[in-house]
Amino acid sequence: MNRNKKGFLWEEMTWEEINERLETVDTVLLPCGAIEQHGPHLPVDIDYYDAKYLARKVAEMCSDPKPLVLPAIPYGVSYHHEDFAGTISVTNNALSAFVYDIGMNLAKQGVKKIIMINGHGDNAPTLNYAAQMINRDARIFVCVDTGDTSDTDIAKLASTPNDIHAGEIETSTTLALRPEAVQMDKAVNETLDFGSDFLNFDDDHSVSWYVRTNKISNSGVMGDATIATAEKGVKMWEIMIHQLVKFVDFVKKTPLEKLYQSRH
C-alpha cells in the first residue's frame, strides 16, 4: 500500500506519491508567513508558525481526499518592522514573483485551485497581486485568506480596539499552542487610539494606510498583550480552523467551472 495514500504534506512525499495524489485532488494550500518582531514577549516566527500550523490542521480535518499542503513561505513584506531587531523583510516584488512562479509550476502539474493561507496581514496586497497574475496566466482558481473567513468572529472574543500585532489576540493564540514561547512577564499594553474611525484598523469604515511600527509603538506591540489567555486562544483557533475547513472543503469539492457561479 502507498504509505502516503492519505498523506497531505507535499514536502514529505516522493514525486510518484505526489503524482498519484494529484490524480484525486486538485487543491493545494500555500501557507505564507513572516519573520518579524512581535514585541518583547513573543518570538519572531509567529506569523510563519501560525500559517503553517493552520494549513496543516485544516488539511487534517478536511474530508478525503485531503488538500495538499505546500511547504510554508517564511519571509514576508515586513519593512514596517525593520526598526526592531530580528525582522527579515523581502520586497513586494520579490514575494509576488516568488509566489507567481510557485503558482505557475503548480498549474503545469494539474493543480486547479490554490488557497493561500496568509499569516501576516501586510502580505495581503502582494499575495492578492500574485493571485491575480496566476489567475490571469494559468486560468485557475486562486484566493488569499488573511483571516477573512474568521476575523469578524474572533474579534468578538477580544476586548482590545486596534489589536493588530502581538497584542491580545496573537498572544492568546500562542499561549494556546506553545505557552513556553511566551514571556508574559514582558507583555505590555500599547493600545492604539488614532482619534478617527477612518484610521482605526478594526473599523468597517477605515481606509488602507501604512506606517512604520516605531512611529506608533515603542515596544512593537499594537494592542494589549497583558490580558491574553490560553483559553481565549483555544476558542480563536477553533473558529479559524472550523471556518477554513468549511471553505476549503467547498472549494475542493466544487468543479472549477462551477466555482465562479452556480447556474441553475
Side-chain angles (χ1 to χ4, degrees), residues 2 9-10 31 46 58 70 87 102 106 136 150 158 161 164 170 196 202 211 213 220 230 244 250:
N2 187 325
L9 295 179
W10 188 285
I46 294 295
V58 167
L70 297 166
T87 299
I102 292 171
L106 292 168
R136 182 193 68 182
S150 58
I164 60 170
E170 285 191 308
S196 169
D202 58 1
V211 63
T213 304
L244 259 179
F250 166 76

Side-chain angles (χ1 to χ4, degrees), residues 35-38 44 75-89:
I35 300 297
E36 60 183 30
Q37 72 82 21
H38 271 74
V44 298
Y75 302 113
V77 179
S78 303
Y79 74 89
H80 47 297
H81 292 301
E82 285 179 334
D83 297 292
F84 297 86
T87 299
I88 301 175
S89 180

Side-chain angles (χ1 to χ4, degrees), residues 17 54 93 96 101 120 139 144-145 165 196 223 232-233 250:
E17 290 165 344
L54 182 57
N93 289 340
S96 62
D101 283 349
H120 173 52
R139 299 178 183 272
V144 181
D145 182 277
H165 188 75
S196 169
K232 292 178 189 175
F250 166 76

